[in-house]
Amino acid sequence: MEVIIQPNADAAALLVARLIAKELRANPHLVLGLATGRTMESLYARLVRMHREERLDFSLCRTFNLDEYVGLSPDDPHSYRQYMHRHLFGQVNLDPRNTHLPHGQAPDLDAECSHYEQLIEKFGGIDLQLLGIGRAGHIGFNEPLSALRSRTRVKALTPVTLAQNAPMFGGVEQMPRRAITMGVGTILESHRCLLLATGEEKAAIMAKAVEGPITGMISATALQLHPRCTVVVDEAAASQMQ
Ligand code: F6R
């Protein structure tokens, strides 16, 4: 695991944007795994700027998001499809047909999960998987007790995650209780992983993720098994690492 510490959150997001841009320029057909959440917003703003000012080209790129809430339609403003549209898809030259998220309203959720896995495989696997980390250590929505070899499936969200994301829904009562998420095993099969974490509230979990023992209770610890994983943190998020 390679850990890169940047002085602040802006610098960390800029570095991750540069790493993604470098891979995309080297391989315009890049299969890019994407994450959502507050941490990613400044990163996507950087990528949009690079598209506008430096002609970063997404036209041949294909994307797969980590997760989507169960029960939300792609048009729901709280869906991750809409999040991606607002922050990236609607602002760069990605072909909408090349952007993939699990369908949270699929009539058969198990079939949807298998289909998502097959689609990733069909396009040769994920070249670069972008990741954030939840306060209890989830990557995607791989909540505590996710098997290290788990595949795309439905997971119930834990109280910590519900509390973390409730502000976006105007309260925990309005939040979906389940999500479809790529599994830890699915994520570990990406050719490269790139995790971005910033801020004091991620310091304790980042120390455990990077330095702690590997455990299904903290799915981010599984990244220690990945042969090519880069972790970019700001000083605040690195403050409890040894
Ligand atoms: C969402 C996802 C999650 C988030 C994590 C951090 O697609 O993959 O694992 O990355 O919950 O969210 P923020 O950045 O809001 O703290």
Side-chain angles (χ1 to χ4, degrees), residues 158-169:
T158 59
V160 175
T161 299
L162 291 172
Q164 182 188 300
N165 290 1
M168 269 89 84
F169 287 83

Side-chain angles (χ1 to χ4, degrees), residues 35-39 66-67 80 132-134 138-140 164 202:
T36 58
R38 277 157 290 204
T39 314
L66 284 166
D67 40 24
Y80 281 161
I133 186 169
H138 68 206
I139 46 175
Q164 182 188 300
K202 300 286 170 70

Side-chain angles (χ1 to χ4, degrees), residues 69-70 155-158 162 171-179:
Y69 290 110
V70 168
K155 275 302 269 185
L157 305 177
T158 59
L162 291 172
V172 86
E173 294 74 26
Q174 280 80 262
M175 254 198 91
R177 302 286 147 145
R178 296 182 301 158

Side-chain angles (χ1 to χ4, degrees), residues 22-184:
K22 192 173 167 204
E23 298 254 357
L24 186 55
R25 287 194 169 109
N27 173 16
H29 291 272
L30 193 74
V31 179
L32 181 59
L34 295 172
T36 58
R38 277 157 290 204
T39 314
M40 298 301 150
E41 291 178 13
S42 51
L43 163 68
Y44 292 142
R46 285 284 179 187
L47 287 176
V48 169
R49 241 169 96 177
M50 287 177 174
H51 169 68
R52 289 184 185 152
E53 294 172 9
E54 299 169 29
R55 295 196 191 149
L56 184 62
D57 180 17
F58 291 84
S59 61
L60 300 174
C61 176
R62 186 172 290 276
T63 66
F64 283 93
N65 267 76
L66 284 166
D67 40 24
E68 179 60 283
Y69 290 110
V70 168
L72 298 193
S73 89
D75 299 327
D76 189 302
H78 294 114
S79 70
Y80 281 161
R81 163 65 71 182
Q82 285 303 312
Y83 169 104
M84 289 311 304
H85 181 74
R86 280 195 301 278
H87 294 287
L88 188 70
F89 298 167
Q91 304 201 52
V92 298
N93 63 337
L94 263 163
D95 182 338
R97 289 168 302 182
N98 288 346
T99 64
H100 306 278
L101 284 94
H103 288 279
Q105 280 192 328
D108 181 341
L109 292 172
D110 287 343
E112 173 61 15
C113 294
S114 312
H115 171 69
Y116 204 62
E117 288 275 337
Q118 282 159 15
L119 212 54
I120 293 171
E121 207 182 310
K122 180 175 160 196
F123 292 105
I126 291 169
D127 294 310
L128 175 63
Q129 178 65 57
L130 178 65
L131 298 162
I133 186 169
R135 272 180 234 155
H138 68 206
I139 46 175
F141 273 134
N142 290 288
E143 301 286 55
L145 290 181
S146 288
L148 300 185
R149 297 178 71 179
S150 51
R151 313 301 308 184
T152 301
R153 70 214 183 290
V154 174
K155 275 302 269 185
L157 305 177
T158 59
V160 175
T161 299
L162 291 172
Q164 182 188 300
N165 290 1
M168 269 89 84
F169 287 83
V172 86
E173 294 74 26
Q174 280 80 262
M175 254 198 91
R177 302 286 147 145
R178 296 182 301 158
I180 296 179
T181 180
M182 278 187 209
V184 180

